[in-house]
Amino acid sequence: MTAKILLTSFDTWLPHQQSNSSDDLLAKISQIKSLPDSLTFLRKLPVDFQLAPNLAIAEINQLQPDTIICCGMAESRQKLTVESCACCESDIRKTAVNLEPLVADLAATEISHEAGKFVCEALYYAVLKHICDSQIAAKCIFVHVPILTPDNADTMVADFLLVMRRLTLAINK
């Protein structure tokens, strides 16, 4: 069975940004020809607290993916960071995915418990809440992506592909 995977990224939001590293990563992923899973890309979501979640949830409802990996840029981080939870006021939503085996032994990936208090967290929270409220079987994670450079891009892509593969294998078991 081929897993349906939805990958999301954001657009830029500050004048100095040439691109958003989350979208840079998905651009690199989209160029890989040998990926066996059914990938759908929802790229360059607007950096807007209502519009980004609304667009993502509409795509989830239409596609009905098995796996959702939302991505956002974290300029100050050095590694890919998989977020364990998202907050909205006092409500905390945790991913149903066991993150420890997902990131085990990866060169440039770690777990984070702080999704950023910005649109990334708003998107992650909304998607996790939608999955729960709608009783959708999809698994969802959020990955923060550091600025990609010639020195780190290959490692970031390799780690992301392993995370995606491990998540898909967990779903298909």
Side-chain angles (χ1 to χ4, degrees):
M1 179 176 113
T2 301
K4 287 191 284 184
I5 301 173
L6 174 63
L7 303 175
T8 74
S9 67
F10 280 103
D11 203 348
T12 59
W13 72 96
L14 294 174
H16 75 273
Q17 296 168 336
Q18 298 293 317
S19 62
N20 185 304
S21 59
S22 68
D23 193 61
D24 296 342
L25 178 69
L26 293 196
K28 289 181 180 300
I29 299 296
S30 72
Q31 295 170 359
I32 298 171
K33 304 287 186 228
S34 61
L35 294 176
D37 296 301
S38 173
L39 297 180
T40 299
F41 294 87
L42 182 58
R43 293 180 51 195
K44 296 190 178 185
L45 286 170
V47 181
D48 182 287
F49 283 89
Q50 292 181 330
L51 194 52
N54 288 347
L55 290 169
I57 288 169
E59 186 69 25
I60 290 164
N61 289 339
Q62 179 181 345
L63 182 64
Q64 298 183 355
D66 303 295
T67 303
I68 304 158
I69 304 176
C70 300
C71 300
M73 180 163 65
E75 289 179 292
S76 64
R77 298 185 190 183
Q78 302 304 309
K79 294 185 171 191
L80 290 176
T81 48
V82 182
E83 302 298 339
S84 66
C85 61
C87 305
C88 181
E89 297 174 0
S90 62
D91 191 26
I92 299 172
R93 299 284 170 156
K94 294 185 180 216
T95 181
V97 176
N98 182 355
L99 298 181
E100 295 292 337
L102 206 59
V103 304
D105 72 5
L106 294 180
T109 305
E110 61 190 10
I111 296 169
S112 166
H113 307 289
E114 174 52 60
K117 306 295 180 218
F118 193 52
V119 179
C120 291
E121 185 161 43
L123 173 65
Y124 194 28
Y125 177 88
V127 171
L128 290 174
K129 184 176 186 316
H130 178 70
I131 288 169
C132 179
D133 291 352
S134 302
Q135 298 181 342
I136 297 170
K139 299 294 184 207
C140 177
I141 61 171
F142 193 101
V143 178
H144 268 117
V145 182
I147 300 298
L148 298 183
T149 67
D151 292 333
N152 74 6
D154 288 346
T155 303
M156 297 295 159
V157 168
D159 273 18
F160 187 84
L161 289 172
L162 277 170
V163 166
M164 191 169 65
R165 192 165 292 120
R166 289 174 179 177
L167 193 53
T168 303
L169 288 173
I171 300 291
N172 287 335
K173 283 185 178 176

